[in-house]
Amino acid sequence: MRGQSEVLELSASLGKISDLDEAMDQLRLIGRAIGIPVVSFLDDLSSQSSEPVFAGRARHAPSQTFIDFQRIWNERQYRFKSPVYLACRTEYLPFIWQVNGRGPATMGVEAAQKNIEFVRGYGVLGGICVPIHAPRGRVGCLHFIDHKGVDLDQCLEAHRSALIMAGIYLMNLCLNRPASQGAAQPINYLTRREIDCVTLAGHGLTDEEIAKELGFCPGTARFHIDNAIRKLNAQTRVQAVAKAAQLGLIGSIA
């Protein structure tokens, strides 16, 4: 692990880079400097079209193991169930998580266990996650993924400021890319009933249970949830809940 000043300098240099691939190459240098060379970045946790970018992957063909990991991760929609990503919505400072359950409260949620066991199967031991909160409720995640049993506490204590700086510069780069200009859609606010239904769906209730709770038939519950999915430009019920939470349209679902 290199010194604080060197890592700060590497992070500060991200502010002068305007190309994402180049920025990810720089991020790989930062990862190597702190002893965690596997680094990913996701600029919008709720966007179906936003995919995690791994430092250095643009320059090299991915391995079959990585291809298999990504395929299963997407097929099982682990992204929307990830306790690390869920924690990013409520945490503002970098945090440590480990496969033994250490980390934010979301790590203890029963639904998170399959997610954790999945990444453990690919040799992941934990990591340092840097939440990035951008305008209009957008939340990103800079993730240093530990495969070697690094002393994460020592690493975070030494480099917290540099990692926060890196995350801010990366998000700023994404927000200012020409392809992103004008891409943001106006926020579609939900009706009171849509908010009620999506909130209860976020707590795991079925259409029948939501209907019983709110005093109408299951078909009406499904109608309101379908409307919310459409308004939020979501693909699934889970994604609609995630987007509504990110935008602050519903309360906490933790």
Side-chain angles (χ1 to χ4, degrees):
M1 188 185 301
R2 301 183 189 176
Q4 292 177 326
S5 60
E6 182 176 353
V7 178
L8 277 169
E9 185 176 341
L10 289 170
S11 294
S13 67
L14 283 168
K16 303 174 184 177
I17 297 174
S18 58
D19 176 75
L20 183 58
D21 287 341
E22 185 181 347
M24 295 306 293
D25 287 342
Q26 184 70 11
L27 195 62
R28 187 171 179 83
L29 294 178
I30 295 171
R32 286 174 174 169
I34 67 173
I36 312 176
V38 180
V39 189
S40 71
F41 172 62
L42 182 60
D43 69 340
D44 190 344
L45 295 179
S46 288
S47 172
Q48 188 76 12
S49 61
S50 178
E51 293 290 339
V53 181
F54 284 80
R57 293 290 180 186
R59 311 298 185 191
H60 307 282
S63 66
Q64 187 59 50
T65 299
F66 179 78
I67 292 172
D68 291 341
F69 174 91
Q70 200 165 40
R71 175 181 56 80
I72 298 171
W73 176 271
N74 291 331
E75 285 177 354
R76 297 181 183 176
Q77 294 190 319
Y78 277 141
R79 169 176 161 183
F80 296 107
K81 307 168 188 175
S82 166
V84 176
Y85 286 167
L86 289 174
C88 282
R89 303 182 188 284
T90 55
E91 301 288 330
Y92 284 83
L93 294 174
F95 60 86
I96 292 169
W97 72 275
Q98 292 177 314
V99 292
N100 63 10
R102 179 189 173 189
T106 52
M107 299 296 293
V109 177
E110 184 176 350
Q113 297 309 307
K114 289 184 179 179
N115 191 295
I116 294 171
E117 288 305 316
F118 172 71
V119 298
R120 190 204 297 263
Y122 283 84
V124 175
L125 301 177
I128 296 175
C129 186
V130 184
I132 314 161
H133 292 260
R136 296 176 62 84
R138 182 168 173 173
V139 180
C141 171
L142 175 58
H143 197 183
F144 295 83
I145 304 168
D146 177 30
H147 287 262
K148 300 178 179 179
V150 172
D151 187 335
L152 298 176
D153 290 288
Q154 180 183 352
C155 182
L156 182 55
E157 180 66 25
H159 303 297
R160 181 180 283 106
S161 297
L163 301 188
I164 293 173
M165 183 191 303
I168 292 172
Y169 277 137
L170 275 172
M171 179 62 83
N172 188 63
L173 186 158
C174 290
L175 293 175
N176 289 319
R177 278 187 297 173
S180 298
Q181 291 176 356
Q185 299 296 320
I187 296 175
N188 291 305
Y189 286 97
L190 308 183
T191 67
R192 181 69 259 167
R193 277 307 190 196
E194 289 162 358
I195 290 173
D196 291 340
C197 290
V198 173
T199 299
L200 292 174
H203 286 285
L205 274 66
T206 65
D207 291 344
E208 290 75 15
E209 292 167 333
I210 292 171
K212 183 177 181 181
E213 182 76 19
L214 298 178
F216 44 64
C217 69
T220 301
R222 184 66 207 175
F223 171 79
H224 288 309
I225 291 174
D226 284 344
N227 279 345
I229 290 173
R230 175 178 53 79
K231 287 182 178 181
L232 294 167
N233 195 28
Q235 301 297 317
T236 65
R237 183 186 188 107
V238 171
Q239 190 186 6
V241 170
K243 282 192 170 187
Q246 178 189 348
L247 294 171
L249 302 181
I250 64 175
S252 172
I253 59 173

